[in-house]
Amino acid sequence: LNGTYVIEPTLRERSPEEIWSLYMTLTRVEEAFRCLKSKLGTRPIFHQIARRTKGHLFISILAYHILINIEYKLNASGDTRRWSTICDALKTHQRSTVIITDTNQQIHHLRISSQPEVCHLKIYEALKIKPVKDLKKYIGAKRL
């Protein structure tokens, strides 16, 4: 059986297609938790107080629900890529904040988004997100 998966289910009333679908669901959940632990930074947990551990777990589950919602919306629009692939595609669309002090000693924060590429726009369109195009400017403080 080298290189072959053997699945021996206890669900005898299910068809092979249903069993395979259930198995693939398990692999997607495992992949999502790997993503939560690595890419979303929910690991390691060093909390020693129960309520902090529960809070951390709550945030992790909330992130997982958001992840699943994103995948669901993308899937409904015909985009069947996995979360890790979507993250890799969106890595190149960045937002920078430039902090400048003017001659009046006021500190200006300029938030600038890079120009979205076609692959970004397709993802944003499927999720009904409007890409930020305008330069955001605000005065944060005044130097003394």
PDB file of all heavy atoms in Angstrom, residues 20 41 45 53 56 63 65 68 71 76 83 87 91 99 101 103 109 113 120 122-123 132 140:
ATOM      1  N   TRP A  20     -15.523  10.458   1.001  1.00  0.00           N
ATOM      2  CA  TRP A  20     -14.376  11.251   0.560  1.00  0.00           C
ATOM      3  C   TRP A  20     -14.591  12.731   0.860  1.00  0.00           C
ATOM      4  O   TRP A  20     -13.680  13.423   1.291  1.00  0.00           O
ATOM      5  CB  TRP A  20     -14.127  11.043  -0.935  1.00  0.00           C
ATOM      6  CG  TRP A  20     -12.932  11.804  -1.414  1.00  0.00           C
ATOM      7  CD1 TRP A  20     -12.907  12.902  -2.206  1.00  0.00           C
ATOM      8  CD2 TRP A  20     -11.561  11.521  -1.094  1.00  0.00           C
ATOM      9  NE1 TRP A  20     -11.631  13.320  -2.403  1.00  0.00           N
ATOM     10  CE2 TRP A  20     -10.776  12.489  -1.725  1.00  0.00           C
ATOM     11  CE3 TRP A  20     -10.937  10.541  -0.330  1.00  0.00           C
ATOM     12  CZ2 TRP A  20      -9.398  12.513  -1.628  1.00  0.00           C
ATOM     13  CZ3 TRP A  20      -9.555  10.567  -0.227  1.00  0.00           C
ATOM     14  CH2 TRP A  20      -8.796  11.539  -0.869  1.00  0.00           C
ATOM     15  N   GLY A  41      -0.782  33.775  13.562  1.00  0.00           N
ATOM     16  CA  GLY A  41      -0.007  34.016  14.775  1.00  0.00           C
ATOM     17  C   GLY A  41      -0.710  33.700  16.083  1.00  0.00           C
ATOM     18  O   GLY A  41      -0.485  34.369  17.081  1.00  0.00           O
ATOM     19  N   ILE A  45       0.889  29.520  22.756  1.00  0.00           N
ATOM     20  CA  ILE A  45       0.111  30.096  23.845  1.00  0.00           C
ATOM     21  C   ILE A  45       0.916  29.939  25.132  1.00  0.00           C
ATOM     22  O   ILE A  45       1.222  28.830  25.541  1.00  0.00           O
ATOM     23  CB  ILE A  45      -1.264  29.392  23.996  1.00  0.00           C
ATOM     24  CG1 ILE A  45      -2.069  29.559  22.713  1.00  0.00           C
ATOM     25  CG2 ILE A  45      -2.027  29.951  25.187  1.00  0.00           C
ATOM     26  CD1 ILE A  45      -3.377  28.805  22.704  1.00  0.00           C
ATOM     27  N   THR A  53      -6.290  32.136  28.508  1.00  0.00           N
ATOM     28  CA  THR A  53      -6.269  31.025  27.565  1.00  0.00           C
ATOM     29  C   THR A  53      -7.602  30.940  26.833  1.00  0.00           C
ATOM     30  O   THR A  53      -7.646  30.751  25.614  1.00  0.00           O
ATOM     31  CB  THR A  53      -5.972  29.699  28.288  1.00  0.00           C
ATOM     32  OG1 THR A  53      -4.730  29.817  28.981  1.00  0.00           O
ATOM     33  CG2 THR A  53      -5.912  28.541  27.327  1.00  0.00           C
ATOM     34  N   HIS A  56      -7.758  33.718  24.296  1.00  0.00           N
ATOM     35  CA  HIS A  56      -6.919  33.387  23.144  1.00  0.00           C
ATOM     36  C   HIS A  56      -7.635  32.377  22.244  1.00  0.00           C
ATOM     37  O   HIS A  56      -7.642  32.526  21.018  1.00  0.00           O
ATOM     38  CB  HIS A  56      -5.587  32.814  23.636  1.00  0.00           C
ATOM     39  CG  HIS A  56      -4.532  32.788  22.592  1.00  0.00           C
ATOM     40  ND1 HIS A  56      -3.444  33.608  22.635  1.00  0.00           N
ATOM     41  CD2 HIS A  56      -4.397  32.047  21.475  1.00  0.00           C
ATOM     42  CE1 HIS A  56      -2.678  33.369  21.593  1.00  0.00           C
ATOM     43  NE2 HIS A  56      -3.240  32.419  20.875  1.00  0.00           N
ATOM     44  N   ALA A  63     -11.264  34.036  14.406  1.00  0.00           N
ATOM     45  CA  ALA A  63     -10.464  34.141  13.181  1.00  0.00           C
ATOM     46  C   ALA A  63     -10.803  33.003  12.227  1.00  0.00           C
ATOM     47  O   ALA A  63     -10.897  33.204  11.006  1.00  0.00           O
ATOM     48  CB  ALA A  63      -8.975  34.132  13.522  1.00  0.00           C
ATOM     49  N   HIS A  65     -13.684  31.449  11.973  1.00  0.00           N
ATOM     50  CA  HIS A  65     -14.993  31.727  11.378  1.00  0.00           C
ATOM     51  C   HIS A  65     -14.881  32.769  10.264  1.00  0.00           C
ATOM     52  O   HIS A  65     -15.538  32.652   9.223  1.00  0.00           O
ATOM     53  CB  HIS A  65     -15.993  32.189  12.441  1.00  0.00           C
ATOM     54  CG  HIS A  65     -16.565  31.073  13.242  1.00  0.00           C
ATOM     55  ND1 HIS A  65     -17.530  30.232  12.756  1.00  0.00           N
ATOM     56  CD2 HIS A  65     -16.291  30.645  14.498  1.00  0.00           C
ATOM     57  CE1 HIS A  65     -17.837  29.323  13.675  1.00  0.00           C
ATOM     58  NE2 HIS A  65     -17.095  29.554  14.730  1.00  0.00           N
ATOM     59  N   ILE A  68     -13.371  30.991   7.239  1.00  0.00           N
ATOM     60  CA  ILE A  68     -14.365  30.148   6.570  1.00  0.00           C
ATOM     61  C   ILE A  68     -15.368  31.000   5.795  1.00  0.00           C
ATOM     62  O   ILE A  68     -15.771  30.654   4.684  1.00  0.00           O
ATOM     63  CB  ILE A  68     -15.077  29.231   7.593  1.00  0.00           C
ATOM     64  CG1 ILE A  68     -14.098  28.207   8.141  1.00  0.00           C
ATOM     65  CG2 ILE A  68     -16.286  28.544   6.981  1.00  0.00           C
ATOM     66  CD1 ILE A  68     -13.461  27.332   7.087  1.00  0.00           C
ATOM     67  N   GLU A  71     -13.664  32.098   2.621  1.00  0.00           N
ATOM     68  CA  GLU A  71     -13.616  30.982   1.671  1.00  0.00           C
ATOM     69  C   GLU A  71     -14.995  30.697   1.072  1.00  0.00           C
ATOM     70  O   GLU A  71     -15.117  30.413  -0.109  1.00  0.00           O
ATOM     71  CB  GLU A  71     -13.068  29.722   2.339  1.00  0.00           C
ATOM     72  CG  GLU A  71     -11.574  29.726   2.491  1.00  0.00           C
ATOM     73  CD  GLU A  71     -11.038  28.396   2.971  1.00  0.00           C
ATOM     74  OE1 GLU A  71     -11.799  27.586   3.538  1.00  0.00           O
ATOM     75  OE2 GLU A  71      -9.837  28.163   2.785  1.00  0.00           O
ATOM     76  N   ALA A  76     -18.513  30.786  -3.526  1.00  0.00           N
ATOM     77  CA  ALA A  76     -19.803  31.124  -4.144  1.00  0.00           C
ATOM     78  C   ALA A  76     -19.617  31.924  -5.428  1.00  0.00           C
ATOM     79  O   ALA A  76     -20.453  31.870  -6.325  1.00  0.00           O
ATOM     80  CB  ALA A  76     -20.666  31.907  -3.156  1.00  0.00           C
ATOM     81  N   TRP A  83      -7.276  29.177   1.495  1.00  0.00           N
ATOM     82  CA  TRP A  83      -6.908  30.372   2.241  1.00  0.00           C
ATOM     83  C   TRP A  83      -5.430  30.705   2.058  1.00  0.00           C
ATOM     84  O   TRP A  83      -5.069  31.866   1.852  1.00  0.00           O
ATOM     85  CB  TRP A  83      -7.251  30.168   3.717  1.00  0.00           C
ATOM     86  CG  TRP A  83      -6.762  31.263   4.593  1.00  0.00           C
ATOM     87  CD1 TRP A  83      -5.785  31.202   5.525  1.00  0.00           C
ATOM     88  CD2 TRP A  83      -7.234  32.612   4.612  1.00  0.00           C
ATOM     89  NE1 TRP A  83      -5.608  32.416   6.122  1.00  0.00           N
ATOM     90  CE2 TRP A  83      -6.489  33.299   5.579  1.00  0.00           C
ATOM     91  CE3 TRP A  83      -8.201  33.309   3.894  1.00  0.00           C
ATOM     92  CZ2 TRP A  83      -6.677  34.651   5.856  1.00  0.00           C
ATOM     93  CZ3 TRP A  83      -8.394  34.654   4.176  1.00  0.00           C
ATOM     94  CH2 TRP A  83      -7.639  35.306   5.145  1.00  0.00           C
ATOM     95  N   CYS A  87      -3.962  34.231   0.681  1.00  0.00           N
ATOM     96  CA  CYS A  87      -2.996  35.044   1.437  1.00  0.00           C
ATOM     97  C   CYS A  87      -1.777  35.358   0.592  1.00  0.00           C
ATOM     98  O   CYS A  87      -1.294  36.493   0.591  1.00  0.00           O
ATOM     99  CB  CYS A  87      -2.568  34.315   2.711  1.00  0.00           C
ATOM    100  SG  CYS A  87      -3.802  34.323   3.993  1.00  0.00           S
ATOM    101  N   LYS A  91      -0.546  39.209  -0.487  1.00  0.00           N
ATOM    102  CA  LYS A  91       0.671  39.727   0.162  1.00  0.00           C
ATOM    103  C   LYS A  91       1.249  40.941  -0.544  1.00  0.00           C
ATOM    104  O   LYS A  91       1.852  41.795   0.094  1.00  0.00           O
ATOM    105  CB  LYS A  91       1.751  38.645   0.187  1.00  0.00           C
ATOM    106  CG  LYS A  91       1.646  37.670   1.300  1.00  0.00           C
ATOM    107  CD  LYS A  91       2.820  36.713   1.208  1.00  0.00           C
ATOM    108  CE  LYS A  91       2.625  35.551   2.134  1.00  0.00           C
ATOM    109  NZ  LYS A  91       3.673  34.548   1.985  1.00  0.00           N
ATOM    110  N   ILE A  99       5.075  59.124   8.003  1.00  0.00           N
ATOM    111  CA  ILE A  99       4.915  60.122   9.062  1.00  0.00           C
ATOM    112  C   ILE A  99       5.879  61.273   8.774  1.00  0.00           C
ATOM    113  O   ILE A  99       7.090  61.062   8.645  1.00  0.00           O
ATOM    114  CB  ILE A  99       5.194  59.514  10.447  1.00  0.00           C
ATOM    115  CG1 ILE A  99       4.253  58.326  10.673  1.00  0.00           C
ATOM    116  CG2 ILE A  99       5.041  60.564  11.540  1.00  0.00           C
ATOM    117  CD1 ILE A  99       4.571  57.523  11.904  1.00  0.00           C
ATOM    118  N   THR A 101       6.874  65.469   9.705  1.00  0.00           N
ATOM    119  CA  THR A 101       6.718  66.652  10.554  1.00  0.00           C
ATOM    120  C   THR A 101       6.927  67.879   9.678  1.00  0.00           C
ATOM    121  O   THR A 101       7.949  68.002   9.006  1.00  0.00           O
ATOM    122  CB  THR A 101       7.757  66.654  11.698  1.00  0.00           C
ATOM    123  OG1 THR A 101       7.622  65.446  12.441  1.00  0.00           O
ATOM    124  CG2 THR A 101       7.551  67.842  12.618  1.00  0.00           C
ATOM    125  N   THR A 103       6.883  72.267   8.928  1.00  0.00           N
ATOM    126  CA  THR A 103       7.622  73.397   9.513  1.00  0.00           C
ATOM    127  C   THR A 103       6.943  73.968  10.753  1.00  0.00           C
ATOM    128  O   THR A 103       7.581  74.645  11.547  1.00  0.00           O
ATOM    129  CB  THR A 103       7.797  74.517   8.465  1.00  0.00           C
ATOM    130  OG1 THR A 103       6.504  74.891   7.977  1.00  0.00           O
ATOM    131  CG2 THR A 103       8.692  74.057   7.327  1.00  0.00           C
ATOM    132  N   HIS A 109       0.304  62.115   9.264  1.00  0.00           N
ATOM    133  CA  HIS A 109       0.336  60.694   8.917  1.00  0.00           C
ATOM    134  C   HIS A 109      -0.342  60.544   7.562  1.00  0.00           C
ATOM    135  O   HIS A 109      -1.511  60.889   7.418  1.00  0.00           O
ATOM    136  CB  HIS A 109      -0.403  59.854   9.961  1.00  0.00           C
ATOM    137  CG  HIS A 109       0.222  59.882  11.304  1.00  0.00           C
ATOM    138  ND1 HIS A 109       1.025  58.873  11.766  1.00  0.00           N
ATOM    139  CD2 HIS A 109       0.184  60.810  12.298  1.00  0.00           C
ATOM    140  CE1 HIS A 109       1.443  59.157  12.978  1.00  0.00           C
ATOM    141  NE2 HIS A 109       0.952  60.336  13.319  1.00  0.00           N
ATOM    142  N   SER A 113      -2.051  53.333  -0.072  1.00  0.00           N
ATOM    143  CA  SER A 113      -2.190  51.943  -0.507  1.00  0.00           C
ATOM    144  C   SER A 113      -1.541  51.777  -1.862  1.00  0.00           C
ATOM    145  O   SER A 113      -1.634  52.666  -2.717  1.00  0.00           O
ATOM    146  CB  SER A 113      -3.663  51.550  -0.613  1.00  0.00           C
ATOM    147  OG  SER A 113      -4.258  51.553   0.655  1.00  0.00           O
ATOM    148  N   HIS A 120      -5.809  40.941  -7.167  1.00  0.00           N
ATOM    149  CA  HIS A 120      -6.375  41.534  -5.944  1.00  0.00           C
ATOM    150  C   HIS A 120      -7.803  41.981  -6.185  1.00  0.00           C
ATOM    151  O   HIS A 120      -8.698  41.731  -5.363  1.00  0.00           O
ATOM    152  CB  HIS A 120      -5.561  42.747  -5.499  1.00  0.00           C
ATOM    153  CG  HIS A 120      -4.113  42.475  -5.282  1.00  0.00           C
ATOM    154  ND1 HIS A 120      -3.135  43.348  -5.690  1.00  0.00           N
ATOM    155  CD2 HIS A 120      -3.461  41.432  -4.723  1.00  0.00           C
ATOM    156  CE1 HIS A 120      -1.952  42.867  -5.377  1.00  0.00           C
ATOM    157  NE2 HIS A 120      -2.124  41.699  -4.785  1.00  0.00           N
ATOM    158  N   LYS A 122      -9.995  40.922  -8.274  1.00  0.00           N
ATOM    159  CA  LYS A 122     -10.933  39.795  -8.382  1.00  0.00           C
ATOM    160  C   LYS A 122     -11.339  39.293  -6.999  1.00  0.00           C
ATOM    161  O   LYS A 122     -12.504  38.990  -6.758  1.00  0.00           O
ATOM    162  CB  LYS A 122     -10.307  38.669  -9.192  1.00  0.00           C
ATOM    163  CG  LYS A 122     -10.241  38.954 -10.675  1.00  0.00           C
ATOM    164  CD  LYS A 122      -9.641  37.790 -11.430  1.00  0.00           C
ATOM    165  CE  LYS A 122      -9.579  38.092 -12.908  1.00  0.00           C
ATOM    166  NZ  LYS A 122      -8.967  37.003 -13.672  1.00  0.00           N
ATOM    167  N   ILE A 123     -10.382  39.219  -6.099  1.00  0.00           N
ATOM    168  CA  ILE A 123     -10.680  38.776  -4.730  1.00  0.00           C
ATOM    169  C   ILE A 123     -11.572  39.795  -4.040  1.00  0.00           C
ATOM    170  O   ILE A 123     -12.574  39.442  -3.411  1.00  0.00           O
ATOM    171  CB  ILE A 123      -9.387  38.536  -3.933  1.00  0.00           C
ATOM    172  CG1 ILE A 123      -8.601  37.366  -4.537  1.00  0.00           C
ATOM    173  CG2 ILE A 123      -9.689  38.290  -2.454  1.00  0.00           C
ATOM    174  CD1 ILE A 123      -7.195  37.215  -4.001  1.00  0.00           C
ATOM    175  N   VAL A 132      -9.185  50.519  -1.488  1.00  0.00           N
ATOM    176  CA  VAL A 132      -8.913  51.894  -1.086  1.00  0.00           C
ATOM    177  C   VAL A 132      -8.048  52.539  -2.160  1.00  0.00           C
ATOM    178  O   VAL A 132      -6.995  52.025  -2.507  1.00  0.00           O
ATOM    179  CB  VAL A 132      -8.193  51.930   0.282  1.00  0.00           C
ATOM    180  CG1 VAL A 132      -7.848  53.355   0.662  1.00  0.00           C
ATOM    181  CG2 VAL A 132      -9.049  51.284   1.342  1.00  0.00           C
ATOM    182  N   GLY A 140      -1.708  63.922  13.443  1.00  0.00           N
ATOM    183  CA  GLY A 140      -1.751  63.116  14.641  1.00  0.00           C
ATOM    184  C   GLY A 140      -1.419  63.872  15.902  1.00  0.00           C
ATOM    185  O   GLY A 140      -1.974  63.632  16.951  1.00  0.00           O
TER     186      GLY A 140
END
